[in-house]
């Protein structure tokens, strides 16, 4: 089944 | 000293309505460019970014960049005290711990001043990369809201499949399945009613409807919504605020383990 990913795995801290 | 004035409180009321179910606390960054805000939801699945540009305000004064940490629920409650047609002034001292919200009725006969306590918040800011997207769909915002709401009756997730000329929104659940196909408009007199589908490459991605339904709280801000989609990156759901800025939501996809 599909799992929810986290936004912070795509966008890194400034 | 920071002070800005908008001719109608309505737009800021709608902006707060678009944010307050998704985020509890946030920092408004004030600079010569305007007001901006960026925050993840508490589960770190989505991110919202708001820009309100200086040019869209009646007056805008910012002597020094400041960060206004606010409780969104409180700010929304105070904004509700303004009538839609009131003009609104926001004001804060450089090192102050209060934000003044001043509402003036159009005929000038009533002025209300509220002061909101600011919070010292340390909110992590993420860099949002500039990128080209495989597909961009523009459609009436009310239609998108309806699709997200209706599919929530079937399942927790929506699968979005974009091909040339149209887009499929589908959901599966214990009670059954649903598929809504939206075709690109061939001929539209009113731009707000148009559906446009730009496809560089077809995409197929799955997203949590719970968050999309939070995002559609921004529907009153704009007649159109745009969805930007690329494989395996966050979806961008953008609402333009006429002459002032935008509210953009980013939602991480659901992917195979």
């Amino acid at each position: 089944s599909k799992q929810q990913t986290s936004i912070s795995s795509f966008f890194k801290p400034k | 000293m920071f002070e800005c004035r908008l001719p109608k409180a309505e737009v800021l009321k709608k902006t707060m309505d678009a944010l307050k179910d998704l985020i509890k606390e946030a920092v408004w960054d004030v600079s010569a460019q305007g007001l901006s805000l960026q925050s993840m939801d508490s589960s770190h699945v989505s991110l919202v970014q708001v820009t309100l540009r200086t040019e869209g305000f009646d007056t805008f004064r910012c002597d020094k960049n400041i960060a206004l940490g606010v409780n969104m629920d409180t700010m929304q409650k105070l904004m509700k005290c303004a009538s839609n047609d009131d003009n609104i002034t926001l004001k804060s001292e450089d090192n102050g711990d209060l934000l003044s919200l001043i509402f003036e009725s159009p005929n000038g006969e009533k002025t209300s001043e509220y002061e909101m306590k600011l919070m010292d918040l340390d909110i992590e800011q993420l860099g949002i990369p500039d990128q080209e997207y495989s597909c961009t769909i523009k459609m009436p915002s009310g239609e998108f809201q309806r699709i997200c709401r209706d599919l929530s009756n079937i399942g927790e997730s929506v699968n979005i499949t974009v091909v040339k000329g149209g887009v499929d929104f589908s959901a599966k659940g214990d009670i059954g399945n649903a598929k809504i196909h939206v075709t690109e408009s061939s001929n539209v007199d009113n731009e707000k009613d148009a559906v446009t589908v730009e496809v560089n490459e077809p995409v197929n991605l799955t997203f949590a409807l719970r968050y999309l339904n939070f995002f559609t709280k921004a529907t009153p801000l704009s007649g159109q919504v745009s969805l930007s989609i690329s494989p395996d990156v966050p979806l961008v759901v953008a609402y333009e605020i006429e002459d002032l800025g935008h509210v953009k939501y980013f939602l991480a996809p659901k992917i195979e383990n």
Side-chain angles (χ1 to χ4, degrees):
Chain A
S1 69
K2 290 187 172 168
Q3 300 295 313
Q4 178 64 61
T5 55
S6 163
I7 200 84
S8 46
S9 61
F10 299 97
F11 300 159
K12 299 299 170 200
K14 269 185 189 171
Chain B
M1 175 81 183
F2 155 61
E3 184 171 331
C4 70
R5 186 179 134 122
L6 277 171
K8 280 185 185 296
E10 186 176 19
V11 67
L12 209 49
K13 290 173 72 168
K14 288 178 178 174
T15 303
M16 293 308 299
D17 289 343
L19 302 175
K20 67 114 190 169
D21 289 341
L22 196 64
I23 51 177
K24 294 295 158 215
E25 295 170 341
V27 174
W28 285 104
D29 286 305
V30 187
S31 73
Q33 281 73 49
L35 289 174
S36 65
L37 175 154
Q38 188 209 92
S39 184
M40 285 186 277
D41 72 278
S42 60
S43 306
H44 292 196
V45 168
S46 69
L47 178 141
V48 60
Q49 194 277 321
V50 183
T51 297
L52 306 175
R53 290 183 300 272
T54 307
E55 306 82 68
F57 290 81
D58 275 353
T59 59
F60 196 99
R61 175 184 164 189
C62 169
D63 299 337
K64 176 182 145 190
N65 291 2
I66 55 169
L68 306 171
V70 299
N71 176 298
M72 300 304 278
D73 201 33
T74 305
M75 187 166 175
Q76 195 234 11
K77 268 187 197 154
L78 296 186
M79 286 302 310
K80 274 186 183 256
C81 301
S83 298
N84 286 343
D85 287 343
D86 284 354
N87 67 59
I88 175 172
T89 301
L90 302 179
K91 212 159 69 170
S92 186
E93 299 298 329
D94 285 345
N95 296 311
D97 56 1
L98 289 172
L99 176 68
S100 299
L101 302 100
I102 301 149
F103 313 135
E104 282 176 275
S105 60
N107 61 14
E109 287 175 0
K110 181 183 171 193
T111 304
S112 315
E113 181 162 356
Y114 294 82
E115 286 186 323
M116 182 175 72
K117 286 183 186 162
L118 294 170
M119 305 165 78
D120 194 9
L121 297 175
D122 185 19
I123 291 181
E124 187 177 46
Q125 295 285 294
L126 301 179
I128 302 169
D130 264 334
Q131 70 167 92
E132 295 290 314
Y133 285 87
S134 302
C135 303
T136 303
I137 302 148
K138 290 186 180 159
M139 62 191 297
S141 58
E143 192 58 62
F144 179 62
Q145 182 178 42
R146 182 73 200 260
I147 290 169
C148 294
R149 195 189 73 196
D150 291 348
L151 292 181
S152 304
N153 293 319
I154 297 291
E156 290 181 356
S157 303
V158 57
N159 181 269
I160 304 179
T161 305
V162 190
V163 293
K164 203 169 166 28
V167 52
D168 282 336
F169 299 90
S170 54
K172 290 179 180 171
D174 294 341
I175 61 163
N177 305 318
K179 183 162 94 172
I180 299 171
H181 180 75
V182 178
T183 308
E184 185 166 32
S185 311
S186 51
N187 186 10
V188 175
D189 295 332
N190 185 349
E191 212 176 286
K192 279 198 164 69
D193 296 333
V195 176
T196 59
V197 181
E198 281 176 33
V199 183
N200 296 320
E201 56 168 332
V203 293
N204 176 326
L205 274 174
T206 301
F207 299 97
L209 281 163
R210 170 182 159 79
Y211 291 91
L212 293 176
N213 279 314
F214 283 141
F215 302 170
T216 61
K217 304 280 191 224
T219 303
L221 279 170
S222 180
Q224 283 253 312
V225 61
S226 82
L227 314 176
S228 302
I229 312 176
S230 281
D232 299 330
V233 300
L235 160 75
V236 189
V237 181
Y239 296 84
E240 294 297 323
I241 308 171
E242 199 176 2
D243 300 329
L244 186 60
H246 62 246
V247 177
K248 284 184 185 173
Y249 301 95
F250 299 82
L251 178 58
K254 287 185 160 186
I255 57 177
E256 291 292 346
N257 238 352

